[in-house]
Amino acid sequence: MSSLSNDGSDLRLQQLERWLAGLFGARDFTVTTASADASFRRYFRVSRQGQTWIAMDAPPGKEDMGPYIRVAAMLVDVGVNAPKVLHRDDTNGFLLNTDLGSRTYLADLDAGADAERLYREAIEALVAIQARAGQHAAQLPPYDDALLRREMGLFPEWFCIKHLGLQLSETEVVGLANTFDTLVAEALQQPRVFVHRDYHSRNLMVTDGVSRDKGGHGANPGILDFQDAVLGPVTYDLVSLLRDSYVQWPLERVHAWIKHFRDVGQRSGVDVGSNPAQFQRWFDLMGVQRQLKVLGIFARLYHRDGKSGYLKDLPRTLSYVRQVTKNYGDLDFLTGFIEQRIVPAMAGL
């Protein structure tokens, strides 16, 4: 049975429940909404006889379950806490996974959780992935020149033009292109590792540390939303974690966590650059690339997909770019463009 109100209009949910009934041999379970993401995927928590699982609904033709299944297996193989796929229906687009619980990092941090412990554990899990997943990473799509530029192209198209209503001059178009050249070159010179691509507070779960065979949710953190993983720059996931669009930390704390990452990474054999200054530049410029992309994605989610919830995160995301660009002469054009064009346009919304 389902605890969701089902008036017959949600045919996918009915189909999922029939599939689950076939797996369990009975309809003695409840289904509740676990989460939805920025795609067409939906997640439901399935409860039965004191146990819980997560069912994924990935409509065929709109979502490809293949990358999720492959990357989940990779992460489980390297020993971090990611969902294990228990059952799959490739034809209809359904999965049944182990459950990592319902406490996101973001929710626990908002409730006053111990950020130091959570972030150190997240950093150590990230280093474990990078140190152990070399063979897996080599099988992933590359975070290459084309992908980096395609992502940054969302910034002028969706954020500047569509969201802010700016008309870009030829000089501004050229200036942004030159900035993108700088950011791409910096990203491509970094050591290449397994990159989750969305390693942040909404996709990390606070787990109980109790092993699954004893009915728990496993080691902290539980890691979700990894299906877009690529082979890419060593700083990318650290930027996602520490310059998160949903929660912001004082610069001194961020620098301490960066140092912890480098210390643990060096001990684990991860290439973290020849010195802290080089790594900091990698981190900062990778962050600018990511934040420009995110500004474009959040604007697109609103204007194309009707999802307004991300608009409140635009100022925080932009603040990261402003924080960094003023420290790097090769980003002077972007600094001026943001201060002279973006900031006044944001204020006028």
Side-chain angles (χ1 to χ4, degrees), residues 139-150:
Q139 302 171 40
L140 295 172
Y143 215 155
D144 57 13
D145 182 288
L147 180 54
L148 289 161
R149 290 180 191 278
R150 189 159 65 247

Side-chain angles (χ1 to χ4, degrees), residues 37 39 41 43 56 64 67-68 71 196 224-229:
D37 60 24
S39 69
R41 288 183 298 271
Y43 300 90
M56 179 199 288
D64 178 6
Y68 179 95
V71 179
H196 175 294
L224 302 178
D225 205 21
F226 39 72
Q227 60 277 345
D228 294 325

Side-chain angles (χ1 to χ4, degrees), residues 14-27:
Q14 293 179 46
Q15 192 178 8
L16 172 65
E17 290 178 338
R18 287 195 295 272
W19 179 65
L20 292 170
L23 292 178
F24 294 132
R27 285 185 175 264

Side-chain angles (χ1 to χ4, degrees), residues 88-201:
R88 54 193 281 191
D89 179 345
D90 293 341
T91 301
N92 294 304
F94 299 133
L95 291 180
L96 189 67
N97 303 323
T98 53
D99 185 5
L100 302 185
S102 57
R103 295 166 52 199
T104 65
Y105 261 46
L106 182 59
D108 262 36
L109 291 165
D110 285 345
D114 180 0
E116 194 62 35
R117 177 182 73 83
L118 294 182
Y119 275 78
R120 283 180 170 259
E121 290 176 348
I123 286 167
E124 286 156 17
L126 177 57
V127 169
I129 294 169
Q130 295 185 355
R132 301 173 194 163
Q135 288 185 327
H136 292 311
Q139 302 171 40
L140 295 172
Y143 215 155
D144 57 13
D145 182 288
L147 180 54
L148 289 161
R149 290 180 191 278
R150 189 159 65 247
E151 289 182 340
M152 286 187 289
L154 300 173
F155 171 72
E157 179 184 359
W158 286 96
F159 182 67
C160 297
I161 298 171
K162 183 68 174 177
H163 187 62
L164 298 181
L166 298 179
Q167 302 240 347
L168 302 185
S169 69
E170 186 175 340
T171 300
E172 289 171 335
V173 170
V174 171
L176 286 175
N178 290 338
T179 300
F180 294 170
D181 288 344
T182 298
L183 296 174
V184 168
E186 200 71 33
L188 293 179
Q189 72 166 282
Q190 293 188 35
R192 317 298 280 170
V193 296
F194 186 112
V195 174
H196 175 294
R197 280 180 85 188
D198 275 310
Y199 196 81
H200 57 64
S201 62

Side-chain angles (χ1 to χ4, degrees), residues 10 33 46 54 95 99 121 125 142 161 172 175 187 267 296-297 319 336:
D10 194 337
T33 299
V46 181
I54 295 294
L95 291 180
D99 185 5
E121 290 176 348
I161 298 171
E172 289 171 335
R267 290 198 298 270
I297 288 174
S319 75

